[in-house]
Amino acid sequence: ARLLRRTVLTGRPIRVRHHADGDGMCAAIPVQLALENVVRDVHGDPDAARHLFKRLPSKAPYYEMEDVTRDLNFALEGRARHGQKLPFLLMLDNGSTEEDVPAYENLAHYDIPIAVVDHHHPDPAAVEPLLDAHVNPYLHDEDYRITTGMMCVELARLIDPSITDELEHVPAVAGLSDRSKAEAMDDYVALADEAGYDESDLLDIGEALDYAAHWLRYSEGKTLVNDALNVGCDDEQRHEELVEFLAERAERDVDRQLAALDDHVEHERLASGAHLYRIDLDEYAHRFTYPAPGKTTGELHDTRVKETGDPVITIGYGPDFCVLRSDGVRLDIPNMVTELNEELPEAGVSGGGHLVVGSIKFVKGRRGAVIETLVEKMADAEIDEALSSTAALDD
């Protein structure tokens, strides 16, 4: 918080990159509101925030070279045309892994400081030499259940305490969006309830954010997203009507997708006793529409967890990618990616995620070998009923 406030005082632009999902937006929107307030106070210009703050979503679960090249080019053009300082980069719900290193090394050629607030499993030895600040629950004996949205609400309150009342529901939305099982979730949901949001409202807001993010793609969508989250929104009725509309559309599209998939899901029982479900998303899912492969796999996974009540692993795959979800099984997806690279170096495996949620990419021609090797590792994975990627609050 001190670092960000100091950056504002020096007149340096701040560029925020965040994961384009519910938790990522619950992280970025409060920080944006807080920093824009400070920018206006410090510089006394209502237009200053427009020039000194920029928020952009990232689809990939790491900082892609395409994104960093675009950001760097934008920053260098701003310096050449308008004499702006090169920006401070703030990564939210992204940025803690080895996959981010090439992008950071690209920025290291220029005077661009980087700070990260993330809850994905970190590679501190790889990223910290390139960072000015790194906040991650894994560095403090916690894990992914403390979501980035939860942490960034506190960060925003430290930057600008006056916005506290406006953010009371946001940690619960972030936790539900990322299916957190954190001990604090009950308290967050209770805090949101006191602010007038019941659990159904929170889930609908999360669905609305996810749906909006899908169609916004790489755009900020500031007013739309603020209205959906009801942070920086000046019309309560518009918020409620917008969330209802977006959440209903999301539910309709998810139901249509699951109906298309249902007859084509392959099932087997692993040696550990866990159920394994596989679905070819390229062949049997509606493409280029909502829900995307990650959301589709997650929704399918949730239905199978509810049906069986047992440990479940779900794989949704396409020509050169697969999305992984698990419930009650300790997969350690980042470690599996490392092992796959060692065992199948020609497959070009990349990606990662959490212990129970992740996605990987690979060379199209080696899909069969990658998935079969992955299944073998899953069969050896330890059963752990405390680990879950399904909804945070049990019925």
Side-chain angles (χ1 to χ4, degrees):
R2 291 192 190 98
L3 189 58
L4 290 168
R5 288 181 64 90
R6 194 176 299 129
T7 300
V8 172
L9 290 170
T10 61
R12 185 172 208 146
I14 295 174
R15 193 174 189 89
V16 171
R17 276 278 179 185
H18 65 92
H19 199 199
D21 65 358
D23 184 43
M25 286 188 285
C26 286
I29 298 303
V31 171
Q32 178 173 12
L33 180 63
L35 285 172
E36 287 182 343
N37 287 347
V38 174
V39 167
R40 280 189 286 267
D41 289 345
V42 167
H43 296 281
D45 180 356
D47 291 329
R50 185 160 53 88
H51 302 295
L52 294 177
F53 188 95
K54 186 77 173 173
R55 173 178 67 81
L56 286 173
S58 296
K59 287 290 184 182
Y62 59 92
Y63 198 20
E64 290 187 296
M65 285 302 296
E66 179 183 357
D67 288 341
V68 71
T69 303
R70 188 184 297 116
D71 291 347
L72 186 56
N73 184 56
F74 181 85
L76 293 172
E77 284 186 353
R79 183 174 68 174
R81 290 182 179 181
H82 310 295
Q84 279 192 336
K85 296 180 180 179
L86 292 177
F88 181 105
L89 175 67
L90 178 61
M91 297 288 294
L92 302 178
D93 199 31
N94 243 351
S96 284
T97 67
E98 191 173 359
E99 283 81 15
D100 298 286
V101 169
Y104 293 160
E105 289 177 337
N106 198 16
L107 294 179
H109 297 115
Y110 300 89
D111 178 26
I112 298 181
I114 308 166
V116 170
V117 183
D118 189 17
H119 72 139
H120 293 82
H121 199 287
D123 295 303
V127 299
E128 288 194 353
L130 298 161
L131 300 179
D132 289 67
H134 186 195
V135 180
N136 191 302
Y138 282 96
L139 304 177
H140 303 277
D141 299 319
E142 285 287 352
D143 61 23
Y144 64 93
R145 289 172 288 193
I146 304 298
T147 76
T148 312
M150 296 174 185
M151 293 185 287
C152 281
V153 166
E154 302 307 327
L155 175 60
R157 292 176 62 235
L158 286 167
I159 295 167
D160 180 9
S162 72
I163 65 174
T164 294
D165 291 346
E166 207 170 341
L167 306 179
E168 289 185 330
H169 62 294
V170 177
V173 175
L176 289 170
S177 294
D178 247 28
R179 293 131 189 274
S180 171
K181 288 277 188 179
E183 292 179 7
M185 274 305 299
D186 287 342
D187 292 335
Y188 280 136
V189 171
L191 183 66
D193 189 60
E194 291 173 13
Y197 302 84
D198 62 25
E199 186 183 335
S200 175
D201 295 330
L202 300 172
L203 290 168
D204 283 349
I205 292 172
E207 286 297 315
L209 287 173
D210 197 58
Y211 193 71
H214 176 83
W215 296 115
L216 284 167
R217 302 191 188 280
Y218 298 100
S219 299
E220 176 188 27
K222 179 180 177 182
T223 302
L224 176 63
V225 173
N226 283 29
D227 286 351
L229 186 56
N230 202 18
V231 173
C233 172
D234 58 5
D235 189 330
E236 185 80 22
Q237 184 177 349
R238 185 174 63 224
H239 156 71
E240 293 174 0
E241 292 175 353
L242 180 66
V243 167
E244 182 181 6
F245 172 75
L246 294 176
E248 284 182 358
R249 297 279 300 186
E251 183 179 6
R252 182 205 65 176
D253 289 356
V254 166
D255 290 344
R256 184 183 67 150
Q257 188 78 294
L258 293 180
L261 296 176
D262 205 46
D263 292 338
H264 308 286
V265 178
E266 300 175 18
H267 172 254
E268 64 183 280
R269 202 78 184 255
L270 299 177
S272 63
H275 296 270
L276 173 65
Y277 295 94
R278 306 190 211 188
I279 181 64
D280 187 334
L281 299 171
D282 190 49
E283 292 288 336
Y284 302 114
H286 295 284
R287 300 178 65 197
F288 310 116
T289 188
Y290 185 88
K295 177 75 171 178
T296 298
T297 305
E299 293 289 344
L300 175 64
H301 177 79
D302 289 354
T303 65
R304 296 307 189 259
V305 170
K306 291 173 184 175
E307 287 174 7
T308 65
D310 296 326
V312 171
I313 300 170
T314 306
I315 305 176
Y317 60 89
D320 59 355
F321 71 89
C322 68
V323 180
L324 313 172
R325 298 287 186 272
S326 74
D327 198 279
V329 186
R330 184 173 288 274
L331 288 187
D332 196 349
I333 294 167
N335 187 56
M336 285 184 172
V337 170
T338 301
E339 293 178 353
L340 284 168
N341 265 313
E342 294 171 354
E343 297 169 26
L344 301 169
E346 76 287 358
V349 178
S350 64
H354 305 302
L355 291 174
V356 295
V357 178
S359 61
I360 63 174
K361 293 182 179 180
F362 41 79
V363 173
K364 181 178 178 181
R366 299 296 287 156
R367 182 178 79 173
V370 169
I371 292 178
E372 290 311 312
T373 306
L374 197 58
V375 170
E376 290 173 10
K377 296 182 183 301
M378 290 173 169
D380 295 333
E382 174 189 350
I383 299 295
D384 185 346
E385 294 182 1
L387 290 175
S388 173
S389 66
T390 53
L393 296 178
D394 299 320
D395 293 334

